[in-house]
Amino acid sequence: MNNATLTNLATELATGAIRVVDLTVPLNENTPIIGLPEEFKQSPGFKMEKISYFDADGPAWYWNSFSCGEHTGTHFDAPGHWISGRDYTDGCTDTIPPEKFIAPANVIDVSKEAAADPDYLLTSDKLKEWESENGKIEPGTWVLMRTDWSKRTPEDFLNYAEDGPHTPGPSVDCMEFLTKERDILGFGVETVGTDAGQAFAFDPAFPAHQLMHGSNKFGLASLTNLDQLPPKGAIIVTPPLKIEHGSGSPLRVIALTTKKPLPMNKNHG
Ligand code: 23J
Ligand code: MN
């Protein structure tokens, strides 16, 4: 096989004409984990244990073992994670067709709105406004919600209060629009989960989980560096670990893009 597109891709990766951006947070014992109400079982965070480090346990080699919940750090939510998606035969980490792990990304910048209101909800009206400037959200593409939440301190990232977490996310109408009217591949966020902090009180509760996974679509949580991507044109690579009957997994999320976004300086010239 000799395909010009793949040859050009290799050339443009080698020359740097295509820029590779890492959308992944580091995994360590301080990587923030979602906390659920205390009646539910909690997910363990990331832990690492040394097997050997060029020592008596392994004189010429270094390696570790690690453990964590499937939904730790930058991670993939599979349809099988939620009750609405449990019966899809291609809905777990090992059964999703691999061609779904490479797809275009639409990046919706609501960082100013989220800075002004930690409970900010992305709506279908906001998406239609974005489409009028950037073009339609195509079927089979990702919608990534840029909030700059990944730039916050761990405490402000989770942003707990007496009445639960206060973090931005999608509205119910946003999820209905993206599943029914746009048929997207999935929805990705910079926050600890794809749903807003207060989404337990929405109807339906947790609409990103309930509606996305109910439509056999995916989630990506705890992304970073979304400010490095253009609104449209990037391609993201998102294969989760092939855990048998896995509900999701930590993963490395890599973006291929060309343009570096211009600084938003309105006072130039
Ligand atoms: C379990 C229960 C509720 C939620 C979540 C997990 C997540 O956000 C997740 O990581 O999928 S809201
Ligand atoms: Mn998750």
Side-chain angles (χ1 to χ4, degrees):
M1 189 199 76
N2 191 358
N3 179 297
T5 304
L6 287 178
T7 305
N8 291 341
L9 175 62
T11 304
E12 299 214 338
L13 284 167
T15 62
I18 291 176
R19 204 160 51 92
V20 178
V21 182
D22 191 351
L23 308 185
T24 319
V25 301
L27 283 172
N28 58 49
E29 299 206 351
N30 299 316
T31 303
I33 297 291
I34 198 166
L36 300 182
E38 61 183 14
E39 62 263 39
F40 302 117
K41 191 163 175 178
Q42 307 296 319
S43 178
F46 184 84
K47 290 209 166 46
M48 192 162 84
E49 207 178 310
K50 182 179 63 187
I51 303 171
S52 73
Y53 187 78
F54 316 115
D55 50 22
D57 293 326
W61 51 93
Y62 167 50
W63 52 356
N64 304 296
S65 64
F66 64 86
S67 63
C68 62
E70 289 175 326
H71 299 251
T72 299
T74 302
H75 72 271
F76 188 99
D77 287 356
H81 174 45
W82 216 252
I83 191 162
S84 54
R86 65 187 290 175
D87 292 331
Y88 289 112
T89 54
D90 57 351
C92 285
T93 43
D94 56 331
T95 54
I96 297 167
E99 57 271 22
K100 292 197 169 184
F101 300 144
I102 307 179
N106 305 281
V107 182
I108 320 299
D109 180 6
V110 290
S111 55
K112 287 189 181 68
E113 291 85 346
D117 175 12
D119 293 313
Y120 173 78
L121 299 180
L122 180 61
T123 62
S124 63
D125 281 349
K126 181 73 182 175
L127 291 172
K128 288 172 193 166
E129 183 191 316
W130 182 93
E131 285 185 327
S132 70
E133 290 165 20
N134 299 288
K136 202 165 177 181
I137 295 167
E138 300 293 342
T141 64
W142 285 97
V143 169
L144 306 181
M145 180 177 174
R146 174 184 162 196
T147 54
D148 288 351
W149 225 249
S150 59
K151 299 179 191 296
R152 295 171 74 107
T153 63
E155 195 185 337
D156 289 350
F157 176 81
L158 294 172
N159 213 30
Y160 286 117
E162 296 248 309
D163 59 350
H166 290 269
T167 56
S171 70
V172 171
D173 107 276
C174 176
M175 289 294 101
E176 284 177 343
F177 174 73
L178 289 175
T179 53
K180 294 182 190 150
E181 293 184 50
R182 291 297 180 268
D183 194 23
I184 64 166
L185 184 68
F187 184 74
V189 299
E190 291 182 49
T191 44
V192 74
T194 52
D195 268 297
Q198 294 288 302
F200 60 84
F202 296 0
D203 184 17
F206 304 113
H209 289 80
Q210 183 66 26
L211 300 177
M212 275 288 144
H213 302 327
S215 310
N216 204 13
K217 300 178 187 314
F218 312 143
L220 286 172
S222 295
L223 296 168
T224 188
N225 289 331
L226 294 186
D227 60 344
Q228 298 300 305
L229 301 184
K232 218 181 212 314
I235 291 177
I236 63 169
V237 185
T238 62
L241 298 178
K242 203 166 181 173
I243 300 168
E244 264 190 36
H245 202 59
S247 76
S249 96
L251 79 169
R252 197 77 180 246
V253 178
I254 294 290
L256 306 181
T257 183
T258 51
K259 285 172 287 184
K260 203 179 180 95
L262 295 168
M264 294 296 283
N265 181 0
K266 293 189 177 109
N267 301 320
H268 62 81

